[in-house]
Amino acid sequence: MVTKLRLASACPGWQAKRDVQPAAAAISPPGVFMSDDSDIVHRRVRNQVMFWLQRIVDIRRDPTPVDLNEVINQWYDWNVEELSDVQLYGEPAYTAKEALAAGEVREAVERFCAATPQTIQDSEAAFGLREWQHLEAAATHALDVMRVRGVSPE
């Protein structure tokens, strides 16, 4: 059974994603149904997380063609709420340091979502929030940690 996302009312834009099952939902918990294919999925998801972190770091200098609501929603495409950090950020796809950094980003995203309306109308105002500053710092740190190993081969 594939887990469907639970809508988090505090997260911007989620009403449009009600029945979407993100790619990360295909990941089995470590030790369960693990195969070479599952390892590939974990590596691909890790790569997508790295690309997302880079987007957060660059978003103010290099605005994306999608709005901030979609950028935040993309986090949940790769980080299923119902899975624990251990399930999402397990070895071998993530090192212990990478898992810790990714967990800090996860917490920062949740705090940012809690501090913003369901749909963000003013990205610049959102960028001024303390929670955005914390998210940006957590994303920068996680990206620095993950760059040590770089993008995983697929």
Side-chain angles (χ1 to χ4, degrees):
M1 181 173 111
V2 175
T3 303
K4 282 196 174 184
L5 290 178
R6 172 180 48 84
L7 291 181
S9 62
C11 290
W14 269 100
Q15 67 275 13
K17 296 244 181 190
R18 176 166 272 114
D19 294 320
V20 174
Q21 295 180 4
I27 298 175
S28 59
V32 179
F33 305 116
M34 292 299 283
S35 69
D36 290 339
D37 290 342
S38 180
D39 290 342
I40 291 169
V41 171
H42 281 275
R43 289 193 310 263
R44 287 180 177 169
V45 169
R46 179 185 177 279
N47 291 344
Q48 291 302 315
V49 168
M50 285 185 71
F51 297 142
W52 186 87
L53 293 169
Q54 187 67 58
R55 176 174 276 177
I56 292 299
V57 169
D58 292 343
I59 196 166
R60 291 205 271 176
R61 283 189 319 260
D62 185 19
T64 120
V66 297
D67 72 356
L68 186 56
N69 296 293
E70 180 58 24
V71 171
I72 296 300
N73 284 339
Q74 288 169 352
W75 171 258
Y76 293 100
D77 290 345
W78 305 110
N79 297 273
V80 180
E81 289 180 279
E82 286 79 13
L83 298 180
S84 70
D85 284 357
V86 171
Q87 292 170 313
L88 285 172
Y89 312 124
E91 292 181 351
Y94 293 84
T95 66
K97 285 182 180 180
E98 291 171 346
L100 182 61
E104 290 170 1
V105 171
R106 189 178 192 184
E107 290 175 15
V109 169
E110 292 301 320
R111 284 193 297 270
F112 178 72
C113 287
T116 56
Q118 179 70 21
T119 302
I120 297 171
Q121 300 294 331
D122 184 354
S123 294
E124 289 304 317
F127 292 150
L129 294 173
R130 173 185 49 196
E131 290 81 4
W132 174 262
Q133 306 303 320
H134 183 76
L135 173 55
E136 196 172 46
T140 299
H141 172 71
L143 190 57
D144 289 345
V145 170
M146 293 175 80
R147 280 183 176 151
V148 170
R149 288 195 312 152
V151 175
S152 295
E154 295 183 9

